[in-house]
């Protein structure tokens, strides 16, 4: 027997969590764009999507965020630190690749400096993942050693029932256990079977990729120029990636007052590494594409012991020139050794 949540009890769950002070966010489809946003009832959710177009990362690492408000007068400089709202949140219906992306980024945001903006949101959030029952040609979670029902980054894992009436419910963390306790009267015991997860074929050999990238002889390989010819440097792959995390900090205002703001940036942009002198160490798109692949499958693993990719496939799915990292990693896999 397994605990289950029936779909006809979902609205009661949402109401119970809201009463306990949580905002409930879930996949929604609005204005031709799918993303995570606050919902009031189950019918607001777009749970049939294979994957939202925007990632859950947006809710933890916003595209733009104020850090400090400052005011400079003749005799003093006043500043006010701006912090995220102290709001408890439940994220319902997160796909395993997106939940994994949060766990992959945790060590980065706590590395040489603890990013309180990231961790305050992480500590105030409970992640309820739903195992996939469908995949498309762009999904590649198995290629990076994850799976359609991976629990990495999740606090609660739901597995859709084969009869379509609800989900099997399993707590993955203490935070998830506590959240389920608050709705325990709405859960039932059942022997209903879960729907099977989809078979996601491995699209490249990640071990071969890491081996080739780790060979310094390949850093200046002609391969990088050939494989990146189509890349237009738009940066959409980085903005839609659940693990990409580059940002810069700018002051917006005038001499006397303004706001210091953190904004997303992208290693695909030509100005990303431009020095004040005018020198740019990555002055060609091929060097920027090399950096993107090296960072995800060589440098990040060397620093944190994990690849900076959860296999969601958005970079390929949404690429305006039909590129993405899958093609590059497949090409590396097939290079003669």
């Amino acid at each position: 027997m397994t605990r289950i949540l029936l779909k006809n009890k979902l609205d009661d769950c949402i109401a119970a969590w809201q009463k306990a002070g949580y905002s409930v966010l879930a996949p929604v489809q609005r204005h031709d764009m799918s993303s995570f946003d606050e919902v009031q009832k189950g019918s607001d959710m777009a749970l049939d999507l294979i994957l939202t177009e925007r990632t859950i990362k947006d809710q933890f690492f916003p595209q733009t965020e104020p850090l400090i408000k400052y005011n400079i007068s003749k005799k003093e400089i006043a500043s006010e630190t701006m912090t995220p709202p102290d709001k408890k949140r439940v994220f319902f219906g997160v796909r395993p690749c997106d939940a994994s992306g949060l766990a992959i980024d945790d060590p980065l945001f706590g590395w040489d400096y603890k990013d309180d903006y990231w961790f305050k949101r992480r500590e105030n959030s409970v992640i309820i993942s739903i195992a996939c029952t469908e995949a498309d040609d762009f999904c590649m979670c198995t290629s990076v050693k994850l799976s359609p029902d991976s629990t990495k980054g999740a606090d609660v894992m739901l597995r859709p029932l084969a009869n379509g009436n609800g989900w099997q419910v399993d707590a993955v963390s203490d935070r998830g256990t506590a959240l389920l306790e608050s709705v325990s009267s709405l859960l039932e015991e059942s022997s209903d079977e879960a729907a099977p997860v989809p078979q996601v074929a491995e699209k490249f050999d990640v071990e071969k990729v890491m081996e080739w990238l780790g060979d310094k002889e390949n850093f200046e390989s002609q391969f990088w120029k050939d494989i990146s010819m189509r890349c237009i440097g738009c940066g959409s792959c980085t903005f839609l990636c659940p693990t990409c995390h580059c940002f810069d900090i700018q002051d917006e205002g005038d001499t006397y007052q303004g706001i210091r703001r953190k904004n997303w940036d992208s290693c695909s942009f030509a100005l990303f590494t431009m020095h004040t002198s005018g020198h740019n160490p990555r002055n060609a798109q091929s060097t920027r594409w090399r950096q993107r692949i090296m960072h995800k499958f060589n440098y990040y693993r060397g620093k944190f012991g994990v690849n900076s990719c959860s296999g969601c496939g958005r970079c390929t799915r949404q690429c305006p020139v039909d590129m993405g990292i899958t093609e590059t990693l497949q090409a590396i896999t097939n290079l003669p050794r």
Side-chain angles (χ1 to χ4, degrees), residues 230 232-237 240 315-324:
R230 296 204 313 279
I232 58 176
C234 69
S236 64
C237 54
L240 295 173
C315 55
T316 306
R317 193 180 287 109
Q318 303 294 339
C319 178
V321 295
D322 193 24
M323 201 172 149

Side-chain angles (χ1 to χ4, degrees), residues 165-212:
N165 291 335
W167 306 269
Q168 291 184 352
V169 180
D170 289 308
V172 178
S173 70
D174 292 342
R175 195 178 302 174
T177 299
L179 186 79
L180 292 180
E181 282 297 316
S182 67
V183 294
S184 59
S185 63
L186 300 173
L187 305 179
E188 300 181 11
E189 295 287 332
S190 172
S191 58
D192 289 347
E193 293 186 358
V197 297
Q199 297 297 311
V200 180
E202 292 193 22
K203 294 181 170 55
F204 53 85
D205 186 328
V206 72
E207 298 296 335
K208 285 186 175 179
V209 169
M210 292 189 296
E211 179 185 0
W212 191 85

Side-chain angles (χ1 to χ4, degrees), residues 266-294:
S266 170
C267 60
S268 293
F269 295 158
L271 296 181
F272 184 72
T273 50
M274 176 70 82
H275 296 183
T276 307
S277 65
H279 170 65
N280 191 343
R282 295 186 208 134
N283 59 1
Q285 199 58 38
S286 59
T287 61
R288 295 189 280 275
W289 186 249
R290 178 185 62 197
Q291 165 63 23
R292 177 161 167 73
I293 301 298
M294 290 290 284

Side-chain angles (χ1 to χ4, degrees), residues 5 10 13-14 17 22 24-27 36 45 47 56 60 89-96 98-99 102 125-131 150-151 153-159 167-173 175-177 179-180 182-183:
L5 169 62
L10 180 54
C13 273
I14 293 172
W17 290 328
Y22 288 94
V24 179
L25 293 89
F36 276 82
M45 301 179 181
L47 296 178
I56 192 177
F60 294 84
R89 305 183 297 179
V90 171
F91 286 87
F92 191 96
V94 181
R95 291 301 181 196
D98 270 356
L102 297 174
S125 300
V126 185
I127 306 298
I128 301 179
S129 282
I130 293 184
S150 170
T151 60
D155 296 300
V156 175
M157 172 56 74
L158 303 183
R159 292 179 172 81
W167 306 269
Q168 291 184 352
V169 180
D170 289 308
V172 178
S173 70
R175 195 178 302 174
T177 299
L179 186 79
L180 292 180
S182 67
V183 294

